């Protein structure tokens, strides 16, 4: 039976996912400022999301967890590069840059994807790709304000943001390949499992983690409000990973990936507003203008591949492409 598409539902779920991701940036910044290393925070987010998704699917749809050995290489690369390293580099970036600025650098991933498929895969793309690349690079120059003594931003943070964009591009490219014949929800679940296993080996908690640190009170507002660190970690796992990932996948039932990607570009805007209201992270007029230019480039890049795959010639009784 063909599932009914409801574009309004797709737009709402995509916006909800972007909003949760945006708030997660500020909550994660508070955890980092409390002294939690990026490796620990990433490991807790990936491990918690893996446990939560495994439990949910085991209760609701255990058949979706079926896995074959042939799936392991792709899942390992998808989880390690696309999930574990993307999140780690993002945390490094927001530890040194305003949240909205870090996201602007990371969200350039669609531009590099379109460039990759044009140069490496030799796929035909629309000419707007080159305009997208020029706008994105020009916007990043404005965001970094490179005329101020080489740049007003921390170089390590900028490097981490751009590296996160490369890892995120890898996530999308591997996800495009993986969801062609796999359940996207199960793919997301197993990718978090792979990421959690990666951090269990690279940065095991047993080596230096003190569980007592989770009880550390953390100021969460400009007033006297404090919460224990474990509450922030729980938010990061449930509302910063499981819920927004699930919403973004659910949106694909009602919207094409290109449309969903375009709507998701509001995340840096949301994140900047949240960080401004919550952390008083104020951006300069040049950075705001540069961010808008970059988002325009991202929007063009998202549609650069819209006509990449020509429709097959009509054949009698041929099944419609997925």
């Amino acid at each position: 039976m063909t599932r009914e598409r409801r574009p309004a539902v797709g737009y709402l779920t995509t916006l909800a996912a972007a909003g949760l991701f945006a708030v997660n940036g500020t909550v994660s910044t508070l955890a980092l400022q409390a002294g939690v290393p990026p490796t620990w925070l990433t490991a807790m987010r990936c491990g918690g999301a893996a446990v939560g998704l495994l439990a949910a699917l085991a209760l609701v749809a255990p058949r979706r967890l079926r896995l074959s050995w042939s799936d392991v290489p792709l899942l390992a690369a998808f989880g390690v590069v696309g999930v574990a390293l993307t999140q780690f580099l993002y945390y490094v970036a927001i530890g040194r840059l305003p949240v909205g600025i870090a996201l602007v650098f990371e969200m350039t991933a669609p531009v590099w994807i379109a460039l990759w498929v044009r140069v490496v895969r030799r796929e035909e793309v629309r000419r707007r790709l080159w305009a997208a690349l020029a706008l994105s690079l020009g916007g990043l120059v404005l965001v970094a304000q490179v005329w101020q003594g080489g740049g007003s931003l921390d170089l390590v943070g900028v490097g981490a943001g751009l590296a996160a964009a490369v890892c995120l591009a890898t996530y999308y490219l591997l996800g495009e390949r993986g969801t062609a014949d796999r359940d996207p929800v199960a793919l997301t679940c197993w990718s978090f499992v792979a990421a959690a296993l990666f951090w269990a080996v690279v940065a095991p908690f047993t080596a230096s983690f003190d569980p007592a640190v989770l009880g550390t009170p953390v100021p969460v507002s400009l007033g006297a409000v404090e919460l224990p660190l474990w509450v922030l970690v729980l938010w990061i796992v449930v509302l910063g990973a499981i819920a927004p990932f699930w919403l973004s996948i659910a949106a694909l039932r009602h919207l094409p990936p290109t449309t969903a990607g375009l709507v998701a570009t509001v995340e840096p805007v949301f994140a900047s507003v949240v960080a401004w209201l919550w952390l008083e992270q104020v951006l300069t007029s040049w950075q705001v203008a540069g961010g808008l230019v970059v988002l325009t480039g991202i929007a063009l890049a998202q549609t650069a591949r819209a006509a990449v795959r020509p429709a097959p010639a009509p054949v009698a009784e041929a099944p419609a492409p997925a």
Side-chain angles (χ1 to χ4, degrees):
M1 181 178 64
T2 303
R3 187 183 300 272
E4 181 184 358
R5 283 183 174 267
R6 297 179 180 176
V9 174
Y11 286 118
L12 288 175
T13 51
T14 302
L15 289 172
L20 288 175
F21 278 132
V23 174
N24 179 69
T26 294
V27 176
S28 298
T29 298
L30 292 172
L32 292 169
Q33 291 176 348
V36 181
T39 49
W40 285 10
L41 193 58
T42 310
M44 287 188 286
R45 188 186 189 198
C46 293
V51 172
L53 287 170
L54 279 173
L57 286 177
L59 290 174
V60 177
R63 289 186 177 182
R64 301 176 103 173
L65 292 174
R66 290 179 179 176
L67 189 66
S68 65
W69 285 108
S70 61
D71 295 325
V72 173
L74 184 139
L75 289 174
F78 193 57
V80 172
V81 179
V83 176
L85 293 183
T86 299
Q87 293 184 30
F88 169 71
L89 291 166
Y90 170 63
Y91 284 148
V92 172
I94 66 173
R96 295 172 173 268
L97 303 174
V99 176
I101 296 300
L103 270 175
V104 165
F105 280 98
E106 183 183 0
M107 290 292 286
T108 58
V111 181
W112 311 120
I113 292 172
L115 190 61
W116 169 272
V117 299
R118 176 65 184 90
V119 175
V120 178
R121 290 186 182 177
R122 304 288 184 180
E123 292 182 10
E124 291 296 328
V125 296
R126 293 174 176 174
R127 292 181 180 178
R128 67 187 65 177
L129 167 62
W130 310 115
L133 183 61
L135 285 171
S136 297
L137 293 178
L140 291 179
V141 168
L142 296 177
V143 167
Q145 299 180 130
V146 296
W147 57 87
Q148 294 187 2
S152 62
L153 301 179
D154 181 90
L155 290 179
V156 175
V158 171
L162 291 175
V166 173
C167 291
L168 184 60
T170 304
Y171 173 88
Y172 285 135
L173 290 168
L174 290 177
E176 180 182 54
R177 176 182 171 187
T179 54
D181 54 359
R182 295 173 180 85
D183 179 6
V185 176
L187 182 67
T188 302
C189 175
W190 286 117
S191 68
F192 272 108
V193 172
L197 293 175
F198 170 78
W199 287 115
V201 174
V202 174
F205 282 125
T206 54
S208 57
F209 182 71
D210 181 9
V213 74
L214 294 175
T216 304
V218 179
V220 295
S221 71
L222 299 178
V225 179
E226 292 183 342
L227 291 175
L229 180 59
W230 67 264
V231 174
L232 300 186
V233 172
L234 184 63
W235 177 289
I236 291 168
V237 170
V238 178
L239 296 178
I242 296 176
F245 272 100
W246 205 294
L247 286 170
S248 61
I249 291 173
L252 297 178
R253 294 180 176 180
H254 306 283
L255 293 177
T258 301
T259 304
L262 286 172
V263 177
T265 58
V266 300
E267 183 183 341
V269 179
F270 286 171
S272 296
V273 172
V274 173
W276 171 54
L277 294 174
W278 198 340
L279 302 178
E280 292 190 334
Q281 291 184 349
V282 181
L283 305 182
T284 67
S285 56
W286 284 113
Q287 289 174 329
V288 173
L292 294 175
V293 172
V294 172
L295 292 180
T296 303
I298 293 170
L300 288 177
Q302 288 279 11
T303 59
R305 298 180 64 197
V308 170
R309 296 180 179 86
V315 178
E317 299 181 2

